Amino acid sequence: MTTAPAPTRREQILATAAELFAARGFHGVSVAELGAACGISGPALYKHFSSKEAILAEMLVSISETLLSEGRHRVDAADSTDAAIAALVDWHVDFALRDRALIVVQDRDWQSLPAEARDRVRVLQREYVDLWADQLRLRHPGLSRPTARAMAHAAFGLINSTPHNRVLPDRETRAVLTSMALAALAR
C-alpha cells in the first residue's frame, strides 16, 4: 500500500490558512497569527507567498482548477451519461466533505480576492458548471443551456451546504447529499 506524500510547507500553509480564514474571516487573521499557527514566524510566510492575498488567491484558484480537472477526468472515465452525472456528484460531495473551509472562505471572502485571481476563478467555475450542464443536456434532450446551468448551480448549493450541516456523521451526510443531488438532477 502506498501512502500519500507528506504535504509541502506551502500546502500546510494553505490548509492552515483555509481553516483560520473560515473560522475568523480573511481580515480577522493576521500574518503573524497565520505564521504562528503554521509553526513559523509571520515574516517567514513571505518565503512561500508574496502576501496574505496571494495565499487566498492560490487557495481559491487551486481548488477551482482541481474541481474542473477531476470533474473532467470523471466524465471521461464514465461509460454513460448517468454514470458521468453520478461521478460528478460523487466528486463534488467528496470535495464538500473534505474542504468545508474552502466553501466558507469562497462565500465569505470572495471580495478580498485580488481581481486577477477572481477573474481566473470565475472562468474555471464557469467551465466546471458547463461540464455539469453538458452532461445534464445529454441526459435531458431539449434542456436549454441556461436551465442546465441553473440545475448545476442548484446541485452545488445543496452539496455545498455541508459546512453548515454537522448534524450527521460524514458517512451519513455523504449518502443524504448524494441521493438528494441525484434526485434533483433527475428532473
Side-chain angles (χ1 to χ4, degrees), residues 6-29:
T8 65
R9 173 59 88 183
R10 194 173 178 86
E11 291 167 337
Q12 291 172 338
I13 292 168
L14 288 168
T16 301
E19 292 298 327
L20 288 174
F21 294 171
R24 300 194 330 235
F26 175 77
H27 294 292
V29 178

Side-chain angles (χ1 to χ4, degrees), residues 109-129:
D109 295 312
W110 175 256
Q111 291 305 317
S112 297
L113 197 59
E116 184 177 313
R118 194 175 319 131
D119 292 344
R120 178 74 179 135
V121 169
R122 279 190 182 122
V123 167
L124 291 163
Q125 289 178 344
R126 195 172 300 119
E127 289 179 37
Y128 186 60
V129 169

Side-chain angles (χ1 to χ4, degrees), residues 140-161:
H140 306 291
L143 188 66
S144 71
R145 177 162 293 285
T147 300
R149 293 182 100 247
M151 289 172 67
H153 279 288
F156 300 158
L158 187 150
I159 296 168
N160 288 349
S161 69

Side-chain angles (χ1 to χ4, degrees), residues 42-132:
L45 283 173
Y46 295 117
K47 288 183 359 187
H48 303 279
F49 295 93
S50 62
S51 66
K52 193 170 80 165
E53 289 78 10
I55 294 170
L56 180 64
E58 184 164 327
M59 177 187 307
L60 296 181
V61 169
S62 177
I63 193 57
S64 297
E65 290 171 343
T66 300
L67 282 166
L68 179 59
S69 174
E70 182 63 21
R72 285 177 175 157
H73 170 74
R74 294 201 180 199
V75 166
D76 291 345
D79 60 4
S80 69
T81 301
D82 286 344
I85 291 169
L88 286 169
V89 167
D90 184 61
W91 164 236
H92 203 89
V93 170
D94 283 347
F95 152 71
L97 291 172
R98 182 187 62 247
D99 293 314
R100 286 176 168 102
L102 291 177
I103 295 169
V104 172
V105 171
Q106 163 112 8
D107 286 348
R108 187 178 49 219
D109 295 312
W110 175 256
Q111 291 305 317
S112 297
L113 197 59
E116 184 177 313
R118 194 175 319 131
D119 292 344
R120 178 74 179 135
V121 169
R122 279 190 182 122
V123 167
L124 291 163
Q125 289 178 344
R126 195 172 300 119
E127 289 179 37
Y128 186 60
V129 169
D130 286 341
L131 180 69
W132 284 62

